[in-house]
Amino acid sequence: MFKDAQNFVHGSGCTLVLPGLLLLASTALLAYRQMTEERTDQPLNGFLANILLQMLPLVALKAKIWSCNDRVSLVPLVLVRTLLMHVILGIMRVVSQVIVGLEKSNKMSVTVDFVLTVSAIAILHYAFEFPLTFKSLYDQRDVRNLVLLATGAAILSEGFFVFAPPSWMSEASRQSAADQLEASKVFFVASNYVDIVAFMPVVWRLYQADDEFEDCSAGVVVSLEAKKQIQLFFCFVLAFYSWDDVIDPIMGGLDEPLAMMAHAAHFMLLLDFAGFFIFQVGNSNASTTTNKGIGEQLQGLLSEGNMEDDV
């Protein structure tokens, strides 16, 4: 009975209902805040927009894996890039706090960010056997370009609040604006932008594979090693966002119901995606391998993409 319920929730079109509702709810929160925000209110539109943008890659990824469930076997090959994005995100957060000064920073936040970053590095090195060298990181073209894009966007957005005429900003934004660009703020905002695009390398690779191969029925078995990698990956991701979306806002005394609801929507979407993905991986070994040649071609496409990044 439980298996039948799982098949209904994760194996049918109903699996896209919850992500769609959560995405719609997040959009409604942003629209409501935009229409009701007072001049003296804390500016939340940017934060709510960030949460909404974070949710889009997860929804796109789930929709793609559901529509072409053989693609689930390709994901372990590119999870390393999402882990790299989280490593860089964690480093940016820690550096931001160090620049401000540890005596002025939230020591709990710094400690958790540091521990999570070290954990991600350990998983990369020991589980995914990723070499911890600058060249290996630089060769990951997707990660490199996304981080540069996020950093550039952070500099531009922070520069706007420094150099833009006060008449272009709300009263709350003017009060929080700095007189000059501050490195700590740039690193912190850049880390938020990296967080938004952290899952984009996986999405890109799956859609790239789909452009080359139209058959969505190939059964490809996920190896035991890949399953362990997936389990470690989701353990890290759930720990990371448990802190980001649940524990930190509560401990920090976040007194904004809309912000708490946005955090909750994002975390629920992440839990839904983790459950869906683990369900798909568990079912992968039960699928037939009559079209194994297509699966091997898809694996080759991903490997070819990795080689291109090393150029």
Side-chain angles (χ1 to χ4, degrees), residues 48-62:
L48 294 174
N50 285 352
I51 292 289
L52 178 61
L53 291 174
Q54 273 183 273
M55 296 171 72
L56 290 175
L58 288 174
V59 174
L61 189 55
K62 184 174 183 179

Side-chain angles (χ1 to χ4, degrees), residues 8-186:
F8 176 74
V9 173
H10 294 307
S12 67
C14 295
T15 193
L16 299 179
V17 173
L18 181 59
L21 290 175
L22 292 173
L23 198 62
L24 184 62
S26 186
T27 304
L29 289 175
L30 176 59
Y32 176 79
R33 182 66 176 195
Q34 179 66 35
M35 292 186 295
T36 62
E37 186 175 76
E38 302 290 341
R39 292 177 60 85
T40 56
D41 286 341
Q42 182 179 354
L44 279 182
N45 287 336
F47 167 79
L48 294 174
N50 285 352
I51 292 289
L52 178 61
L53 291 174
Q54 273 183 273
M55 296 171 72
L56 290 175
L58 288 174
V59 174
L61 189 55
K62 184 174 183 179
K64 174 52 62 181
I65 294 174
W66 174 76
S67 63
C68 296
N69 57 20
D70 67 295
R71 304 299 193 257
V72 72
S73 63
L74 306 181
V75 176
L77 299 175
V78 287
L79 285 183
V80 62
R81 300 180 183 184
T82 296
L83 270 175
L84 278 172
M85 296 290 285
H86 282 86
V87 167
I88 295 170
L89 156 63
I91 291 173
M92 285 180 167
R93 286 185 177 177
V94 172
V95 169
S96 171
Q97 298 296 323
V98 169
I99 293 174
V100 171
L102 294 179
E103 67 281 355
K104 299 179 182 179
S105 303
N106 185 324
K107 292 181 175 58
M108 176 64 77
S109 294
V110 177
T111 301
V112 172
D113 287 336
F114 179 79
V115 170
L116 288 172
T117 303
V118 172
S119 300
I121 293 173
I123 293 172
L124 273 173
H125 184 61
Y126 294 107
F128 289 86
E129 299 181 354
F130 184 81
L132 300 178
T133 63
F134 178 78
K135 183 180 184 303
S136 299
L137 176 60
Y138 182 80
D139 287 341
Q140 299 296 320
R141 186 175 58 189
D142 293 353
V143 175
R144 183 182 71 224
N145 292 345
L146 285 170
V147 171
L148 288 175
L149 180 64
T151 304
I155 293 172
L156 289 176
S157 63
E158 286 302 297
F160 170 81
F161 289 110
V162 173
F163 301 109
S167 59
W168 291 10
M169 295 180 281
S170 66
E171 183 176 341
S173 297
R174 287 198 298 270
Q175 291 176 355
S176 61
D179 295 330
Q180 60 182 7
L181 276 177
E182 298 177 3
S184 61
K185 284 188 175 181
V186 171

Side-chain angles (χ1 to χ4, degrees), residues 14 33 76 82 90 99 110 208 210 227 236 250 301-302 306:
C14 295
R33 182 66 176 195
T82 296
I99 293 174
V110 177
Q208 181 187 30
D210 201 46
K227 285 187 176 183
F236 167 78
I250 293 174
L301 175 64
L302 270 290
N306 290 337

